[in-house]
Structure formats: structure tokens, C-alpha cells
Amino acid sequence: MSSVTGTMATTALTGFSMMSLLSLGYLTWDLSLSPNQVENEPMHAFVESSPVPQPPHIIFIMTDDQGFNDIGYHSSDIRTPYLDKLAADGVKLENYYIQPICTPSRSQLITGRYQIHTGLQHSIIRPRQPNCLPFDQVTLPQRLQELGYSTHMVGKWHLGFYKKECLPTRRGFDTYFGSLTGSVNYYTYNSCDGPGRCGFDLHEGESVAWDQRGKYSTHLYTQRVRKILATHDPQSQPLFIFLSFQAVHTPLQSPREYIYPYRGLENVARRKYASMVSAVDEAVHNITYTLRKYGYYQNSVIIFSTDNGGQPLSGGSNWPLRGRKGTYWEGGVRGLGFVHSPLLRKKRRVSKALVHITDWYPTLVGLAGGNESLTEGVDGYDVWEAISDGKESPRLEILHNIDPLYNHARSGSLQKGYGIWNTAVQASIRAGDWKLLTGDPGYGDWIPPQMLPGFPSSWWNLERHTVQKSVWLFNISGDPNERFDLSEQRPDVVKELLARLVFYNRTAVPVRYPSEDLRADPHLNGGAWVPWVGDEEVDSWDTVYQKKNKDWTKKLKLSKSRLFFRRLNTRIMSNRI
């Protein structure tokens, strides 16, 4: 056995029995083989790289809904030996921020801009909404194409598809293979947007990939990435691959062999969830093997990132952070992330440098050889020196978001914002050590793993509501779990951060959140989710937005009455407990 083989085998075997390894698939190098079949490919098949070409090959791997506590080096119950090894040999990003839900994180990665500057500051893009990434935005893959890259995307898009001009292949990717909506069945690729509104959602380029149904998506996407690597010449052209896994988003599905090592977990949701994370770990293992095999590795940068916090109702965990997916507490916006690359100058360390998902745009353009003119106007910073050399991050501040359409906090007002800002509006910002939240930040409890998913779902409403508030302030460096609200002790800091919200809000563009279009129904489009509006059809965003705003006002009144009865039931339930 070669030294490389011995190292990989030793790494994989740490903490595992041979039976667990076989069931997890870590001895299965080629995912095109059956789960229990081992590919006998000799390690001397690795291609030795000739003099390192410039710029580097970039592999960006994003997981969906993976919580802060859902990786081996943070968790005691989820096993990710290969991700742990990659992170340990690279740079762990432990002060890394994303967005609390899918569409915003992807839009900020692709454009390098805050949501308030793309009109996507409210919620996600629904399958039937005539909405997508604004056409005036030059995307990251488009910039990389300009710099000579071959660009490919595999996996979940979730940035709109109502027109063909919205599709990944029209937004900078030479090839695309994946799903356009936010959630699909891992085997059938069926996606539903409400009862009876279901359709097939797996696409090859701009065509529907009907023939691929039945294959587990984590395996299928990994096979496609390995095929791209196998058919591209690493010496002729730099490569950018954006692998956007569907995992570990619901539905909780994985091949049975991945569940076996977690049979001791009593919580069923956590058990299934953990098995899906292990399938991702194996996938990243196999992709890295392929990078080595075909001569990419020595001149590659591998970035691993989740898109938002985990959902404890579905097995995820952000412990010990506060909150969950869909909230602006740390559990919703502090992300898992690391960089692994032979090009890193200072490896095997933990970075506390402040990094935001918008920073990848200028960072990767810079790595690709682009100058600052190509990233003019973006909200991100080039953080490569902070990651690679351990220097201070150029970023001092993060606008998490300002969402004027989210349900306004009943306890908020302009008066409570010192006449500076209406604290009923959902917003959050971090500046230096300080983090401010206004409005309704979302569910704000601390949820240990394996706890509440086994309880009645109504118990989720038993959140700590002892005080009705609309302003919170935390020293996030000293109190990352957000347990000590300092808003009353430090009104001076509150006022300064409220003024920063006002500054950002003046630069915001109108929210793009149109009403759903009945023409999008898959039953009207051959049974699949596909573009349904002609490219020649003119969009009227102002009209759509105003109509949606009126609908939202009516829904807010209805939601308030529902909220009253929900809290009444909660108090009754609390007394019983």
C-alpha cells in the first residue's frame, strides 16, 4: 500500500469499525458502483501535476440546512471523518456568516451583494413566482468566464426560473445539472408547491432529465462532478464547479446502509439526518479523490459552506447557538465553513476572521486573476489574505438583512428606536463585536440535539416570551450564544447601530416578491417545473410589488388573530406541563 493510501485508510478508520466503514461507503471510491462494491483502482493512477498552472481550480461545495452542530468537529453524534480531515488540514472559518434561508444565501454568493441591493430581501423565491436573480447583476460565474474559466453547476439552483433567461446556463454556467426549485424528493425528483401542485424537477442544461429519476441525488450529483473532472484537461483551462447539494434539506431520505451506524440514536429524525450528512461526507471524499487522480488537487481551492442554519424539527442542530433556520439569531446565520487548499500559506488552524458569504465573490475573482474593477459595487470583501495568511479581515461589519415585508413586531415603534429607526421592522446588523436585532428575529430558543423533535409539535410554541421586545443587543464576540441582552445597558451602541440600519436602508432597492402565477403549474407544462414566461414578455415589478404589499397587509391582520389563539393555547399547554 502506498503512503497516500495508508494515510487515507488511517484517516477513514478513525473511530469506525470495518463494518461501519463498509456501511457508510468509505471504501467505495466510485459512486457509480453499487454501495457494497469496492473499486480496485490503484493509487498510482493519480496524475502527477506538471508545473502549477495559474489561476487555481475552484470547487465550491454548499450543503443545504446543515446546522452549526452537524459536523464531526462540532458534534458528538454525527460522524464526518473526511470533512473533519479536510477542515483540520485547511482553515476552519469559525466567524463565518451566511443567510438564514436558501435563496438569499445563494443570491449573495452569486452576486456578492446584500439582499437589499438585489430586491430579494424577503423570504425565498417560490416555484410559481415570476421572479429570479435580477438580470442587471453580473454573476460570479460570468466574471470567471471572462477570466478564462470553464464554469459548471451541479445541484440546487433556487434562484428562479420563470424565464429561460433566469436559468443557470444563462447566468454564467457553461453546464448545469440539478433541480431548480427549493426541495425535491431525493429519488423521484418530485417537487410540490402546495397540495396538488407537484412536478418533476431535474434538469440537464435547459432540458428535463426524465431518464435520471430513481438515483439518490447526493450520489447522482457526485457522479456528475467526477465526470466533469474526468473529461476536462486541468492544464488547459482553469475550472470552477459550484456543487450545491440538496442534502441535508427535507425530506429526510438516504440509502439504508448509511443509517446503520446511527442505529443507537433514539431520535428518528436525528438518525436519518445524520445518515444524510454521512452520505455528503462520503461524496466530498470521492470528489477530492478525483481531484487528486486527474491532476487538479495541487492547484485547487476547495471551499465548503452551508447555506443557512439547521432546522431542529427535521433533525438538525445549531447547539449551543440560539435559534434555527429562518431566524436572525446566530443559529440561523452563523455557518459551517472551511477552506482546504495546497495553496494556503498558513494551514491547520482555526480562523476567527470575520467572513460573510458575499465575500466569496471578490475573493474568488481575485484568485482568478481579476482586478478590483471587476468587483466594483459589490458588498463583499476579498478575504483571501485573512484566510490564507492569517491577516486581519478587511470586513468590520455585516448587514444580515432588512426585511420590510416580514410581520412587524407589535411591540416595536419609532419611539422605541429613539426616533432613529422603527423597531417593528425585522432587521439585523453586526459591527465589530456588537450585534443588533430589531423587529421579530424569529424563534429564539436554545435547542440541544435530539430534544424537541420527539415531543408534540405544539410544544415548539413554548418559547421564552416573558418580555415583549423589539430590540436586542449582544456582544457577540464575548457572548456568541446570545444569552445576555445589553440593549438597556448600552443605549449608546444601540443608537449607533440603528443609525447604520438607516444608512443601509437608504441604499435598498424595492422588494421583488410578486404574486404567484397560475401558468407555472407543472400540469400545464408537461408535468415538470420549467420556465413558463416568454423572454419577450415585459416584467412590471412596480405593479406586482404594490399588489403584493396590499395582500401582505391583509395577511398580517389575519396572522395577528391566529397568533392570539396560538399563544392562548400555548399558555394552557404550559400550565398543564
Side-chain angles (χ1 to χ4, degrees), residues 154-209:
V154 178
K156 174 177 171 177
W157 175 239
H158 207 187
L159 288 174
F161 60 92
Y162 76 106
K163 287 184 175 182
K164 286 188 175 180
E165 291 302 310
C166 301
L167 298 176
T169 49
R170 308 288 181 98
R171 305 312 302 268
F173 290 103
D174 296 324
T175 68
Y176 173 68
F177 179 66
S179 297
L180 298 174
T181 63
S183 176
V184 301
N185 183 287
Y186 281 74
Y187 292 95
T188 66
Y189 300 94
N190 200 43
S191 176
C192 296
D193 186 35
R197 295 186 178 92
C198 301
F200 185 77
D201 182 19
L202 185 63
H203 298 261
E204 176 80 66
E206 299 181 7
S207 302
V208 182

Side-chain angles (χ1 to χ4, degrees), residues 69 91 177 235 258 261 297-298 372 468 481 494 543 562:
N69 193 41
V91 176
F177 179 66
Q235 308 303 327
Y258 294 93
Y297 177 76
Q298 291 301 325
E372 291 183 1
Q468 291 291 334
N481 302 330
V494 170
T543 304
R562 288 174 177 170

